[in-house]
Amino acid sequence: MLRKGFTSGSCAAAAAAAASRMLFSGVRINSIMIDTPAGIPFNAELLDIRMDSDRVSCGVRKDGGDDPDVTTGLIIFASVERAGCEESAQGRRSVEIKAGPGIGTVTAPGLDQPVGSPAINRVPRKMIIDEVRKAMELFDEEGSVIVTISVPGGEKTAEKTFNGRLGIEGGISILGTTGIVEPMSEEALLATIRLELGQRRLAGQETIVVTPGNYGMDMLKKAFGYDLERAVRCSNFIGDTIDMAAETGFRRMVLLGHIGKLVKCSGGAMNTHSRYGDGRMEILAAEAYRQGADMLMIRRILSSVSTEAAVSALDEDGPVIRSRVCGAVLGRALEHLREKAGTRMEIEMIMYTNEHGILAESKWAEEWLRSTMS
């Protein structure tokens, strides 16, 4: 069974709870327990505690459990300080949240927080405020306090996340809706894809250019000089991305993909992850046979260790057979994806390999792609 973890939001709230209690009591503590929105208690060990008369800071190390999260291991710090004893317009106990180093800033619309705000989402914000107010009530503290959340190394770690593409600059986001990290990276990826699609649609795009990953992004740049901020990575979730793009209101999609992904779609696969099956060489071999390849070529394809190698094998029989096979693979993949989209959205496709470049493309694919560049 996969081990659950705790979100960056839970870590920030626990650090804020501990720092405020130490500030108001003057007593050092080494751990604290808070309740998460999921109802699961979080017992957090406190790190690097620093106490002054009007300011206390401490950190909690992020443990994402068995979820492959690049933020696991980072220390989320909270610094709590008194801002004044006067009553605020919001009541006698006011909590202001600020961002320190390592926390990103929202620079694009359509996210959880408005442009210009720290990338600390609404549920973690509420958790932080609730915990600090609990401490204020417990120690009969009134007035205003400022909570500053920071993450050493957050700016560097953010380079490994989707934040830059989403419109969050300068650091990581403080996230979480339940306070618990469920080891389901697929859910997080799908949420990110949906968010990116929403942002592109909000920017006025009616045609969306989609590619599974970084290699596709490189090909978009290399072959077409494409502005990558207009494209969306879909990972293995091609079918889900079609559904989400149609639901978001896109009229057209151009899917640019490596033959290793799209050959699976030609066999009807809507999720191209290897755990759902392979069959790449078998599909290529069957298509090559249909297009007139001899049995020696069929055996070479079936013994190939990659689709790149299989395409190189096809090249040995000349560009005509390769073109026919690749065109047929793309055509069958397109049939399946258009069936998935139905009447909701039109789809065109471009297929490539890293070594051979563009292998095949459907009729309107390049024209639609270039129409989004102006």
Side-chain angles (χ1 to χ4, degrees):
M1 184 176 179
L2 295 176
R3 185 173 63 89
K4 296 180 181 180
F6 293 92
T7 62
S8 54
S10 289
C11 296
S20 57
R21 292 187 181 214
M22 287 188 279
L23 175 65
F24 304 144
S25 69
V27 176
R28 181 188 179 98
I29 57 177
N30 295 311
S31 65
I32 192 166
M33 182 177 289
I34 66 168
D35 290 325
T36 63
I40 298 173
F42 177 28
N43 189 10
E45 178 187 0
L46 305 179
L47 304 171
D48 197 13
I49 300 168
R50 301 184 183 186
M51 299 181 65
D52 294 315
S53 59
D54 287 316
R55 181 179 178 274
V56 173
S57 70
C58 62
V60 172
R61 190 179 301 277
K62 166 75 183 294
D63 179 2
D66 287 330
D67 189 68
D69 190 326
V70 296
T71 64
T72 289
L74 292 178
I75 301 177
I76 316 295
F77 280 89
S79 167
V80 180
E81 59 186 305
R82 293 182 176 91
C85 298
E86 73 280 357
E87 294 184 8
S88 72
Q90 298 174 325
R92 293 189 304 167
R93 296 185 173 102
S94 172
V95 180
E96 180 183 359
I97 299 176
K98 293 184 177 182
I103 301 294
T105 299
V106 177
T107 63
L111 298 176
D112 182 273
Q113 296 295 307
V115 172
S117 299
I120 304 173
N121 280 10
R122 59 182 178 272
V123 173
R125 284 176 180 270
K126 184 177 186 303
M127 292 173 69
I128 293 167
I129 290 170
D130 287 350
E131 290 296 338
V132 173
R133 283 181 174 162
K134 283 181 190 176
M136 295 178 81
E137 291 170 5
L138 180 64
F139 295 100
D140 199 25
E141 184 84 14
E142 297 184 357
S144 300
V145 296
I146 296 171
V147 181
T148 303
I149 306 299
S150 58
V151 183
E155 186 171 359
K156 187 70 174 177
T157 301
E159 296 174 2
K160 304 174 186 177
T161 72
F162 285 104
N163 272 14
R165 290 179 51 76
L166 294 176
I168 298 171
E169 303 292 341
I172 67 166
S173 306
I174 302 298
L175 304 171
T177 55
T178 65
I180 304 299
V181 177
E182 299 281 355
M184 297 184 297
S185 57
E186 285 193 4
E187 182 179 338
L189 278 170
L190 286 169
T192 299
I193 295 166
R194 185 183 294 277
L195 180 58
E196 286 201 52
L197 288 168
Q199 288 183 316
R200 305 300 178 267
R201 188 71 187 93
L202 189 65
Q205 288 182 230
E206 293 189 339
T207 299
I208 187 65
V209 176
V210 174
T211 189
N214 290 331
Y215 287 135
M217 287 292 191
D218 291 343
M219 184 57 65
L220 279 171
K221 188 71 173 178
K222 178 181 176 182
F224 303 103
Y226 198 73
D227 177 2
L228 302 185
E229 293 301 315
R230 294 176 176 269
V232 169
R233 291 181 181 88
C234 68
S235 187
N236 293 298
F237 307 105
I238 293 174
D240 288 306
T241 301
I242 289 172
D243 288 337
M244 290 188 287
E247 292 164 6
T248 304
F250 286 100
R251 294 176 53 244
R252 302 186 298 192
M253 173 189 288
V254 178
L255 173 65
L256 179 143
H258 191 279
I259 189 173
K261 298 284 187 186
L262 298 191
V263 71
K264 294 183 181 182
C265 295
S266 75
M270 293 292 111
N271 186 314
T272 57
H273 197 286
S274 59
R275 70 170 170 267
Y276 296 112
D278 193 347
R280 293 168 300 158
M281 304 313 164
E282 291 80 359
I283 294 171
L284 277 174
E287 197 56 65
Y289 181 78
R290 273 189 2 110
Q291 300 301 327
D294 60 26
M295 291 309 298
L296 178 61
M297 177 59 66
I298 301 305
R299 285 195 291 269
R300 288 203 60 191
I301 292 171
L302 288 173
S303 63
S304 296
V305 296
S306 69
T307 50
E308 294 264 358
V311 172
S312 294
L314 283 168
D315 257 348
E316 294 184 8
D317 273 4
V320 173
I321 186 69
R322 188 191 87 177
S323 177
R324 286 165 56 185
V325 171
C326 292
V329 167
L330 181 137
R332 286 179 177 271
L334 193 53
E335 286 177 12
H336 286 296
L337 298 190
R338 284 175 171 170
E339 183 179 359
K340 173 72 170 171
T343 60
R344 300 175 298 166
M345 185 175 63
E346 297 178 87
I347 299 179
E348 297 287 339
M349 292 175 63
I350 301 171
M351 187 168 71
Y352 73 95
T353 70
N354 299 325
E355 181 180 347
H356 302 90
I358 303 299
L359 297 174
E361 57 184 74
S362 56
K363 183 176 180 179
W364 301 107
E366 187 170 343
E367 182 176 325
W368 288 6
L369 184 150
R370 293 193 182 280
S371 74
T372 69
M373 296 171 67
S374 57

